[in-house]
Structures are given as C-alpha cells and as structure tokens.
Amino acid sequence: MQGLSAIVVGTGAIGRETARLLKAVGIEVRGAGRRARQGDPDFGEVVLSESLEEHVGDADILVNAAPLTPQTHGLIGRGVLSAMKPGAHFVNIGRGQSVDEAALADALRQGPVGFASLDVFETEPLPESSPLWEMENVLISAHMSGDVVGWQETLAEQFLDNAERWLEGQSLNNVVDKEKGYVPQPR
C-alpha cells in the first residue's frame, strides 16, 4: 500500500478512524471537511469539501464518510467523479444521498473511476433495476460497514458513560450538533 494516497470526505469520528486505519497500512491521507486546515493530527491537511473536485485528481482512493446534511447532499457528483484519478477506487460508507449514483455508474463504465465499494445508496435497499448490480468493478455490501466486532459493547459503554455524566451534571460525549444539519429539523 506504500505510495498510495487517499482523501477521506468527512472529518468526524468515522472519518478519523478511517484515516488512522489507512495510515496504519502506509497510505498517505488527507481529509475533506467543512473547514480547511493544516496540521490536523489524523489528516495532516484538510481541504474544503466544496472544493473536492480540485483535489481528487491525485488520490488513488476517495472515501466518503460524510454525514448527510444540506451541504453534503449530492456532494460527490459528476464533477468530482470525472475529476478523479484514472483507475481510482471510490468507497462510500457515508450516506447514499451524498453521491449521484447515475454519475457514479457512468464514471465506472467510462472512467475515470476504476472500482467502487458501496455500503450505502440513494435508495435502500438498492433497487433491482440499478446498473450497479451488474458491474464487475463494483462491490456491494448491505449497509453494514459499521457492524464491527464489539460495536454493541462499545455503544453500551458510551451510553453508561453519558448516563453517569448526565447524573453528575457533566457535559455529554458525542452530542449531535443539530445546528449543523446532522439531524433533519421538523417542518
């Protein structure tokens, strides 16, 4: 894996863990998020998600780990996909609606995308009529990338830790920031 480079879209907990794992096998990693910055402990450089098209051309792997917000809906569209490095691998463990699936299918058929590993889709389950089912350069999983050994124990520990924090009047861990659009607002 030495010499490969990746961009991880989404610099939250999942994106950070993905970056750490990629770095552990020798892949150079950058991030894409809502704020550009240098010197990030997990990504080194973080570019603006909105300028992703300008940065994907030199990445061997593009991993989407972004949450679905108004800013990420359709983020990985025809422009980003067509700007990718020829033969690049696209991985979607984020949200299906952040990717234009028709544009992805075209980029897989005609290039430049060489392979896609897809765990999430615009419509789930993925409709039988989707061309992605028939493509030999696509790996499809059943929205289970988060199902890792020990996830239930980890979730239970997180719940108990936050329950204790709440009872003691302390701030909670992993609070969802609804102002950033992570949770749909009632109409």
Side-chain angles (χ1 to χ4, degrees):
M1 299 273 169
Q2 292 289 333
L4 293 179
S5 65
I7 295 178
V8 178
V9 182
T11 57
I14 295 169
R16 288 186 178 283
E17 186 63 20
T18 300
R20 284 191 286 270
L21 292 169
L22 290 170
K23 285 169 64 174
V25 295
I27 297 174
E28 178 188 318
V29 180
R30 290 184 294 152
R34 59 173 77 234
R35 288 182 303 109
R37 56 195 178 276
Q38 297 289 329
D40 185 275
D42 298 311
F43 299 103
E45 177 186 16
V46 176
V47 301
L48 284 174
S49 292
E50 62 195 39
S51 66
L52 192 56
E53 190 173 328
E54 300 167 25
H55 300 278
V56 296
D58 59 352
D60 300 290
I61 305 163
L62 177 62
V63 179
N64 178 32
L68 185 62
T69 67
Q71 293 78 25
T72 62
H73 192 276
L75 175 67
I76 300 171
R78 198 164 301 280
V80 169
L81 293 164
S82 64
M84 288 178 67
K85 183 178 188 175
H89 187 154
F90 174 67
V91 179
N92 193 5
I93 57 170
R95 291 292 180 246
Q97 295 87 357
S98 61
V99 177
D100 179 339
E101 280 180 19
L104 176 60
D106 288 344
L108 284 159
R109 272 191 221 97
Q110 302 159 8
V113 180
F115 197 87
S117 299
L118 307 172
D119 189 55
V120 293
F121 306 93
E122 286 178 312
T123 301
E124 293 187 2
L126 183 62
E128 289 181 35
S129 61
S130 172
L132 297 170
W133 286 116
E134 304 301 323
M135 296 182 164
E136 292 186 18
N137 56 345
V138 174
L139 174 68
I140 294 174
S141 57
H143 199 148
M144 56 186 282
S145 63
D147 290 353
V148 296
V149 174
W151 74 268
Q152 291 173 319
E153 291 82 7
T154 301
L155 185 61
E157 289 170 9
Q158 180 182 17
F159 174 82
L160 291 173
D161 178 58
N162 269 341
E164 290 173 9
R165 289 172 167 280
W166 185 77
L167 290 170
E168 294 171 6
Q170 297 177 1
S171 61
L172 304 180
N173 287 322
N174 297 316
V175 176
V176 173
D177 186 342
K178 294 178 184 179
E179 297 299 316
K180 291 183 179 174
Y182 295 137
V183 176
Q185 299 297 313
R187 293 177 194 198

